[in-house]
Amino acid sequence: MSFDEELEKEIERTKGRTTWGCFIIVIVSTVLILLFLLGPLIWNDYGTTLETSDSPGNINTIEIVEKGEAFRKGPSSVRIKYGRDHKDIRLSNGGEPLGPSNVSVSWNDDYEAIVTLKGNYQDDEEVKINFE
């Protein structure tokens, strides 16, 4: 094998390694960027508690939580937790953080309640909660 042939083979191996190296760097960078941007939304299951309300006979509890924070001026993610279930709602509040004034709970009895969500940029939204 001549020197030129060996040199060409080495050049081809180097090109292959460079291509794979760049591909791996792009994949790892993409995953890290996605984890950085979406991680707080994915792993912040608890969030900021806006309201906790017990039924009149203290049999059931509803907890309303803001998950993460609104992105720019987009809607906030709100989770209504009741029993073993939950409902996720989007609430438009102009990107402002939510507080207790954005939610209220009205109990009909120990097993039924109405959760009212109030945003600055939407009509009030009522969510009916039924415990089984």
Side-chain angles (χ1 to χ4, degrees), residues 72-121:
R72 300 198 182 229
K73 295 201 181 267
S76 297
S77 295
V78 175
R79 175 165 283 181
I80 303 170
K81 299 178 185 181
Y82 57 101
R84 293 184 176 152
D85 294 323
H86 70 271
K87 291 184 180 182
D88 291 327
I89 310 287
R90 307 288 274 170
L91 184 61
S92 296
N93 202 41
E96 296 293 321
L98 300 177
S101 63
N102 294 102
V103 298
S104 65
V105 179
S106 173
W107 290 90
N108 296 331
D109 56 38
D110 283 324
Y111 299 97
E112 184 178 286
I114 303 291
V115 175
T116 305
L117 303 170
K118 305 167 191 166
N120 291 337
Y121 295 96

Side-chain angles (χ1 to χ4, degrees), residues 8-124:
E8 283 186 35
K9 284 185 178 181
E10 186 61 33
I11 290 171
E12 289 301 315
R13 279 193 294 261
T14 303
K15 284 182 182 178
R17 287 186 206 127
T18 304
T19 301
W20 277 107
C22 290
F23 178 72
I24 290 170
I25 287 172
V26 167
I27 295 297
V28 169
S29 298
T30 302
V31 168
L32 289 174
I33 289 170
L34 286 174
L35 286 175
F36 178 75
L37 294 176
L38 300 177
L41 296 176
I42 294 169
W43 286 290
N44 188 4
D45 186 41
Y46 303 106
T48 304
T49 300
L50 302 173
E51 177 80 25
T52 301
S53 179
D54 294 321
S55 65
N58 292 320
I59 295 172
N60 290 305
T61 300
I62 294 175
E63 182 181 13
I64 305 164
V65 176
E66 179 181 18
K67 291 179 57 179
E69 297 175 358
F71 184 71
R72 300 198 182 229
K73 295 201 181 267
S76 297
S77 295
V78 175
R79 175 165 283 181
I80 303 170
K81 299 178 185 181
Y82 57 101
R84 293 184 176 152
D85 294 323
H86 70 271
K87 291 184 180 182
D88 291 327
I89 310 287
R90 307 288 274 170
L91 184 61
S92 296
N93 202 41
E96 296 293 321
L98 300 177
S101 63
N102 294 102
V103 298
S104 65
V105 179
S106 173
W107 290 90
N108 296 331
D109 56 38
D110 283 324
Y111 299 97
E112 184 178 286
I114 303 291
V115 175
T116 305
L117 303 170
K118 305 167 191 166
N120 291 337
Y121 295 96
Q122 72 176 50
D123 293 334
D124 291 356

